[in-house]
Amino acid sequence: MDRAEFVIVANRLPVDRDEDGGWRRSPGGLVTAMEPVMHESQGAWVGWPGQAGIEVEPFEFEGTMLVPITLSADEVELYYEGMSNDTFWPLYHDVIAAPRYRRVWWDAYVRVNRRFAEAAAEVAAEGATVWVQDYQLQLVPRMLRNARPDLTIGYFHHIPFPAYGLFSQLPWRRQVLEGLLGADVIGFQRVADAGNFARAVRRQLRYVTRASGIHVPNPDGTTRVALAKAFPISIDAQSYSDLAEKPEVRARAAEIRESLGNPRKILLGVDRLDYTKGIRHRLKAYGELLEDGRLTVEDVTLVQVASPSRERVQAYMQLRDEIEQDVGRINGDFDTMGHTAIRYLHQAYPRDEMVALFLAADVMLVTALRDGMNLVAKEYVATRNDNRGVLILSEFAGAADELGSAIRINPHDIDGVKEAIMTAVEMSPSEQGRRMRALRRRVREHTVTDWSRAFLATLAASKRWQGSGG
């Protein structure tokens, strides 16, 4: 196998297995984000194929060398469902659900991270650049540096990084910080996340931090500088804008409105079924507006797409039950023969159908209680070529730092959410146009390609720092 000059290490490979045993490109956000970089670099991608116990030799897919990592059913349960999604995910999302700290999970996490690091070290050419992705692999940068000091190593954290008071609960907090500091550049979605990380390093490890530089001691007594900076991720805005112009997609949007009884306004929520997304908060606000008589089902319908997520984790099973109860109660109270209050869809949809939904919707509701970025907000904006539509955006989503012309909300303030919905429903076309033009300018000016280029340029420049102590 040829060694690669550029290697991505992520929990998942950018492909899924189809029924015939072949491979197809997966729809995930990270895959979309990385596609342009991989095409330019002819690199390698190290990741898990998504099924337990599957053993596959490295193979080429659309010009990229894929290096599959085998995980047993036990490891999927302990490293992925346990440590990654029942410890790190809730802890890093402000303990919206209680994280569980289990040593057997941590042991599996270390073991699996080592396997990813070894595979990356094996496939990377001398002096190569390796870019590690996300919270499932926080120990990989340090392991890689120990094995291959010749590599330039980047890490990007796609979810929030919590304030020190929360992070300090983690029994393995030092190991995680040391793991991440194996990277030359540690990227975060928001400036606040990079600040939280630097504070944790100061408090726990007592390393000197200046601006975005963290002085990390080397084993030989010298220091190197690791940069911790914000690199807000984005989308391929043009591809969404182009899809929105397709006659069949526009026809499908009209069909969706028709199937909902042609209400005056359609509200839309599109989320993974996750407790961080604030789905119950938006249902509560909408239900109360119907109860108050400020909205009627003849006039306004809420479409809620909640794609399945982590279905074997207890907190997610419970959340699904609660949301479906809420939807059933509101529909039972307010539906008529011809109109439904909430069209609830617990399934994932292809991109064409999502763009049709974005076009059909007059108001996009993003009520995240905590979100690294929230790309759905940007996707909605990218499809609105007519400069119509309103984005309601939680101030706790990373996208709020960039999308200043959205109606901003605190999703915990139900009265505030209700007022935002009414403002959106009643907003004049000229006001919609003013806000949407500003939102679209931002999304078009800062794309996913800009994000990856900015990160990789910083990573390349960081080589000049190494060994100099800054």
Side-chain angles (χ1 to χ4, degrees):
M1 180 172 65
D2 289 342
R3 291 188 151 201
E5 297 294 335
F6 180 70
V7 181
I8 285 185
V9 189
N11 177 59
R12 285 293 306 273
L13 285 175
V15 292
D16 292 319
R17 204 93 194 242
D18 59 29
E19 299 73 34
D20 311 324
W23 299 94
R24 64 173 184 274
R25 181 168 291 285
S26 7
L30 178 60
V31 179
T32 311
M34 289 296 148
E35 204 173 352
V37 199
M38 295 310 279
H39 277 311
E40 283 170 26
S41 64
Q42 299 288 297
W45 187 308
V46 176
W48 172 49
Q51 294 171 6
I54 187 171
E55 294 195 32
V56 187
E57 288 299 308
F59 64 98
E60 195 174 305
F61 181 86
E62 294 181 2
T64 298
M65 179 56 63
L66 301 187
V67 183
I69 300 291
T70 302
L71 297 182
S72 68
D74 265 5
E75 285 168 337
V76 172
E77 186 184 333
L78 302 173
Y79 143 80
Y80 182 66
E81 292 171 353
M83 193 71 211
S84 296
N85 293 326
D86 219 353
T87 302
F88 284 125
W89 182 269
L91 177 65
Y92 285 18
H93 286 86
D94 292 358
V95 193
I96 293 165
R100 294 198 290 160
Y101 305 113
R102 295 194 56 199
R103 284 168 290 180
V104 66
W105 290 356
W106 173 254
D107 294 343
Y109 186 84
V110 174
R111 192 165 65 246
V112 170
N113 270 241
R114 186 164 290 117
R115 198 174 309 151
F116 276 82
E118 286 166 356
E122 183 69 29
V123 76
E126 185 71 23
T129 295
V130 180
W131 194 358
V132 183
Q133 304 290 332
D134 223 2
Y135 67 103
Q136 301 96 343
L137 302 173
Q138 294 172 96
L139 306 182
V140 168
R142 172 72 176 268
M143 292 170 169
L144 258 181
R145 182 162 297 282
N146 290 345
R148 293 282 307 274
D150 59 294
L151 298 174
T152 300
I153 302 165
Y155 169 90
F156 189 76
H157 197 75
H158 291 257
I159 67 172
F161 195 89
Y164 182 70
L166 294 174
F167 181 74
S168 62
Q169 294 178 19
L170 184 69
W172 308 282
R173 57 202 181 182
R174 288 182 71 89
Q175 293 97 310
V176 167
L177 294 174
E178 286 167 351
L180 292 172
L181 287 170
D184 298 298
V185 177
I186 305 115
F188 297 92
Q189 299 281 24
R190 307 181 87 160
V191 172
D193 295 323
N196 286 343
F197 174 73
R199 271 188 291 280
V201 169
R202 282 199 300 274
R203 296 284 294 274
Q204 269 301 310
L205 305 178
R206 307 287 182 205
Y207 293 170
V208 174
T209 64
R210 289 203 190 98
S212 57
I214 297 169
H215 292 247
V216 183
N218 290 320
D220 63 2
T222 61
T223 62
R224 60 184 185 85
V225 176
L227 296 178
K229 288 184 67 174
F231 297 87
I233 198 169
S234 197
I235 60 167
D236 179 3
Q238 193 59 50
S239 70
Y240 280 92
S241 182
D242 291 348
L243 264 178
E245 289 300 321
K246 281 188 161 184
E248 62 271 30
V249 173
R250 298 173 73 82
R252 177 66 188 133
E255 205 176 276
I256 289 168
R257 288 196 78 97
E258 184 73 34
S259 71
L260 294 169
N262 277 320
R264 190 168 62 85
K265 298 285 180 178
I266 294 173
L267 315 180
L268 176 64
V270 174
D271 312 86
R272 270 189 322 102
L273 188 66
D274 194 292
Y275 47 75
T276 63
K277 302 297 184 184
I279 299 171
R280 295 194 72 200
H281 295 63
R282 87 180 58 138
L283 293 178
K284 184 168 179 54
Y286 176 63
E288 285 190 13
L289 286 171
L290 292 173
E291 217 167 280
D292 300 344
R294 296 176 73 186
L295 296 179
T296 67
V297 292
E298 288 81 10
D299 256 4
V300 178
T301 296
L302 169 62
V303 177
Q304 176 62 55
V305 177
S307 56
S309 175
R310 299 172 190 157
E311 292 176 284
R312 297 187 347 174
V313 177
Q314 185 57 45
Y316 288 78
M317 292 188 240
Q318 186 183 333
L319 177 69
R320 180 179 178 183
D321 289 346
E322 289 169 353
I323 286 172
E324 291 179 358
Q325 253 177 1
D326 291 346
V327 170
R329 182 182 53 74
I330 293 168
N331 282 346
D333 286 348
F334 299 104
D335 277 9
T336 65
M337 286 298 182
H339 295 88
T340 189
I342 302 168
R343 182 66 61 86
Y344 171 74
L345 305 156
H346 179 58
Q347 47 204 280
Y349 289 98
R351 193 189 285 194
D352 284 32
E353 183 74 357
M354 289 315 310
V355 170
L357 268 169
F358 291 150
L359 289 179
D362 303 285
V363 180
M364 184 80 214
L365 283 164
V366 177
T367 56
L369 308 180
R370 195 79 167 88
D371 217 335
M373 176 51 62
N374 195 287
L375 295 180
V376 164
K378 294 186 173 185
E379 290 165 4
Y380 177 74
V381 168
T383 63
R384 305 304 300 196
N385 298 335
D386 61 357
N387 292 315
R388 290 288 176 271
V390 185
L391 174 63
I392 294 177
L393 180 58
S394 165
E395 63 191 63
F396 304 122
D401 289 359
E402 299 177 82
L403 303 180
S405 298
I407 299 178
R408 287 171 61 125
I409 54 159
N410 169 1
H412 300 282
D413 172 11
I414 300 300
D415 284 337
V417 177
K418 287 164 69 174
E419 291 313 314
I421 291 172
M422 292 309 300
T423 300
V425 164
E426 292 165 356
M427 189 179 290
S428 70
S430 61
E431 176 71 359
Q432 289 179 39
R434 187 184 66 75
R435 288 172 177 264
M436 190 55 75
R437 273 190 291 276
L439 292 170
R440 286 175 60 74
R441 197 175 310 120
R442 176 62 195 172
V443 169
R444 279 202 306 267
E445 283 171 359
H446 178 66
T447 68
V448 69
T449 311
D450 300 320
W451 166 76
S452 57
R453 283 192 181 136
F455 185 94
L456 292 171
T458 305
L459 189 53
S462 75
K463 288 183 180 182
R464 297 198 297 270
W465 292 73
Q466 304 320 323
S468 71

